[in-house]
Amino acid sequence: MRIIHTDNAPSHAGPVPQAVEAGGWIHVSALFGADARQRVIPDDARAEAEQLFDNLVSILAAGGAGLTDVVRVGIVMRNLQRDRPVFNDVWAQRFGEHRPARSAIESSAFGRPGENARFMIEVAAYRG
């Protein structure tokens, strides 16, 4: 197993890597739409989703992969009905014709206290 890290995406405060690679599979840990340097979540849902995908692209690139290598995405949204349309729009723009499997659930219990992130994703990608 190889740890993947980049300074171009936010790191976790605890002992959690940004991602790990094993056997050609890259598993991205819980990922948020925070700015990598200031760790601030944007006030706007679209800006947060865009930043989240920027972070994902950076982590995947550090592992030698890209969005077309993504096989599955698990999504947690603080308010699924309100924020899903914006997230889906950004998703479609970023993934284009590529269609990884995905699931989405609503939960208010994720992220760091006070950050009020709208989105969290976990990703599995395969570089073969």
Side-chain angles (χ1 to χ4, degrees), residues 29-116:
S29 299
L31 184 61
F32 301 90
D35 174 81
R37 285 160 186 62
Q38 297 176 347
R39 305 187 61 80
V40 174
I41 301 284
D43 290 333
D44 176 69
R46 180 172 301 278
E48 181 179 343
E50 292 282 357
Q51 183 64 56
L52 185 146
F53 274 93
D54 289 347
N55 294 341
L56 176 58
V57 167
S58 293
I59 292 169
L60 291 172
L67 288 177
T68 57
D69 298 307
V70 172
V71 175
R72 185 186 185 294
V73 180
I75 308 161
V76 179
M77 294 186 194
R78 196 165 301 277
N79 187 323
L80 191 69
Q81 297 309 314
R82 179 192 69 202
D83 295 328
R84 183 173 31 199
V86 169
F87 188 89
N88 283 346
D89 189 43
V90 174
W91 172 283
Q93 290 172 6
R94 293 300 186 102
F95 278 117
E97 295 301 312
H98 183 64
R99 294 288 184 256
R102 95 179 212 185
S103 60
I105 64 166
E106 180 176 293
S107 175
S108 61
F110 68 91
R112 292 185 181 99
E115 279 187 337
N116 295 319

